[in-house]
Amino acid sequence: DNEIYGNTGGQRSGATPVGSVTSTTPEGKNERKKDIMAIMAAHRIPYAATLSIGHRKDFLRKVRYARSVKGFRFLLMLSPCPTGWKSEPDQSTELIELAVRSGLFPLYEIFDGSRYRINFQPDGTPVTSYLDQQKRFRQLWGDPGRLQDFIDAQWRYLDGMATVFPAKEG
């Protein structure tokens, strides 16, 4: 997921985050990003997980597990696009680590659309550490509180799902 339509000049997509500047949203996108993981859960697929290139052990464990599962599997990896994100190529891994550490990109798994396991909790890294390294957010985030509100709501949901519908460790 690079959060844009890259081969068409960096246009907004359903995966583009709120506030992100693209070639078709020069003032920043007004709608929230689609929650593709919730869509996968609604379809009750056997396995869905988010991946981070900055969390190698977790990444490899999930790929191995997905290979062992029969049926449809879905792995979502946030993938920087330096051109679209208006960032430096050598920042890619750091950007993903910041997205995870700030809570913007949660690392978790969903089993059979109904059991959740969170793999990494945010560590309190301010979301501005992530935003400040990308010019695509220059329009909106004079007040990052709006994005932090979204992150907090997303984590209340995920924590609730993992508490009410936990997946066994293993």
Side-chain angles (χ1 to χ4, degrees):
D1 177 8
N2 68 4
E3 301 184 323
I4 58 170
Y5 290 125
N7 62 348
T8 58
Q11 296 174 331
R12 85 174 285 290
S13 74
T16 302
V18 67
S20 185
V21 171
T22 70
S23 64
T24 54
T25 57
E27 299 299 318
K29 183 181 172 203
N30 290 320
E31 300 86 23
R32 282 182 36 190
K33 177 179 180 165
K34 280 187 183 176
D35 187 347
I36 192 70
M37 291 294 285
I39 294 167
M40 294 296 113
H43 286 279
R44 303 278 193 236
I45 67 170
Y47 184 66
T50 57
L51 303 174
S52 161
I53 58 173
H55 296 79
R56 180 179 166 78
K57 280 184 175 180
D58 183 67
F59 182 105
L60 292 173
R61 181 187 61 76
K62 289 173 179 173
V63 170
R64 285 185 195 111
Y65 181 80
R67 291 184 61 180
S68 75
V69 172
K70 289 191 179 218
F72 188 80
R73 287 96 15 129
F74 181 82
L75 301 173
L76 178 66
M77 182 172 75
L78 187 60
S79 180
C81 172
T83 303
W85 288 23
K86 298 169 181 51
S87 62
E88 295 301 319
D90 63 351
Q91 292 176 297
S92 294
T93 301
E94 180 185 1
L95 284 172
I96 299 306
E97 289 172 353
L98 289 170
V100 171
R101 290 176 46 214
S102 69
L104 184 61
F105 187 75
L107 293 181
Y108 65 107
E109 299 164 279
I110 306 172
F111 302 85
D112 299 316
S114 61
R115 293 176 290 115
Y116 287 67
R117 180 186 305 140
I118 295 172
N119 309 115
F120 185 88
Q121 290 286 338
D123 67 8
T125 297
V127 73
T128 52
S129 298
Y130 173 76
L131 301 175
D132 289 347
Q133 294 188 44
Q134 304 167 71
K135 293 182 180 116
R136 68 179 175 150
F137 290 110
R138 70 183 178 275
Q139 303 284 344
L140 183 63
W141 304 119
D143 176 17
R146 183 172 165 201
L147 182 57
Q148 190 62 55
D149 290 344
F150 165 76
I151 292 169
D152 295 344
Q154 173 179 257
W155 275 95
R156 282 191 299 275
Y157 172 79
L158 283 176
D159 283 335
M161 294 301 280
T163 299
V164 175
F165 305 107
K168 295 176 188 166
E169 290 300 318

